[in-house]
Amino acid sequence: GCFDEFNRLEERILSAVSQQIQSIQEGLKARVPTIELMEKKVSLNSKMGIFVTMNPGYAGRSNLPDNLKQLFRKMAMMKPDKNLIAQVTLYSQGFRTAEFLSSKVVLLFKLCKDQLSDQSHYDFGLRSLKSVLRSAGTLKRK
């Protein structure tokens, strides 16, 4: 399974989840066909994996408990190319001048992030950028 933004869960829930993940991992290491989770017998597939993504440092995110940190390997991610993502999104929304527009929109988002006061309700990240571009596509098609 893949759990996106895993650290948005509350710490008490993360702790409970870590116990279950540990049971799964121990069962896989022991090569047993079934394990017990939440008082139910569950079949194990030896080809399964558990993946989580996290965005540390954002508001509303929890720190992973130490017992949970030990169950996963850290993996570094590259910073996304916002210009390319914006360009592809604009092309997919029907904009013929996507290359020109993407650089302008990405620059606008960067300037807003850098020059506006830091407020919790301001969001100039990639999700917001994509949302604005999709909305522009919707307006274009009307």
Side-chain angles (χ1 to χ4, degrees):
C2 185
F3 303 94
D4 192 23
E5 295 195 31
F6 194 62
N7 60 329
R8 289 185 91 173
L9 295 171
E10 296 174 24
E11 285 192 46
R12 64 183 179 79
I13 294 171
L14 285 171
S15 186
V17 168
S18 71
Q19 303 256 327
Q20 295 170 350
I21 291 173
Q22 192 167 13
S23 295
I24 293 168
Q25 288 183 337
E26 287 171 0
L28 290 169
K29 283 180 190 172
R31 298 180 189 262
V32 296
T34 61
I35 60 166
E36 194 169 306
L37 282 179
M38 297 173 56
E39 300 176 10
K40 290 184 181 177
K41 223 173 201 187
V42 179
S43 297
L44 274 182
N45 181 341
S46 62
K47 295 177 184 166
M48 64 83 69
I50 299 171
F51 305 92
V52 299
T53 66
M54 299 186 340
N55 293 311
Y58 282 81
R61 301 313 198 273
S62 302
N63 291 322
L64 287 186
D66 288 336
N67 61 340
L68 190 53
K69 280 182 190 175
Q70 295 171 0
L71 300 177
F72 294 101
R73 281 188 228 145
K74 287 185 179 181
M75 179 182 279
M77 303 298 283
M78 291 176 36
K79 192 172 184 179
D81 184 342
K82 289 182 181 179
N83 259 328
L84 182 60
I85 292 168
Q87 190 179 107
V88 169
T89 303
L90 286 167
Y91 274 129
S92 72
Q93 295 295 326
F95 288 89
R96 291 193 177 113
T97 58
E99 199 168 333
F100 172 76
L101 290 172
S102 65
S103 62
K104 300 293 182 191
V105 174
V106 169
L107 178 60
L108 173 66
F109 267 67
K110 182 185 181 328
L111 290 172
C112 287
K113 184 176 191 260
D114 294 345
Q115 295 183 7
L116 293 176
S117 61
D118 195 22
Q119 302 287 324
S120 62
H121 57 277
Y122 288 170
D123 183 3
F124 300 106
L126 184 58
R127 253 191 212 118
S128 295
L129 174 64
K130 286 197 66 175
S131 178
V132 166
L133 298 176
R134 282 192 302 269
S135 294
T138 301
L139 290 172
K140 181 180 180 4
R141 289 187 294 279
K142 283 186 178 179

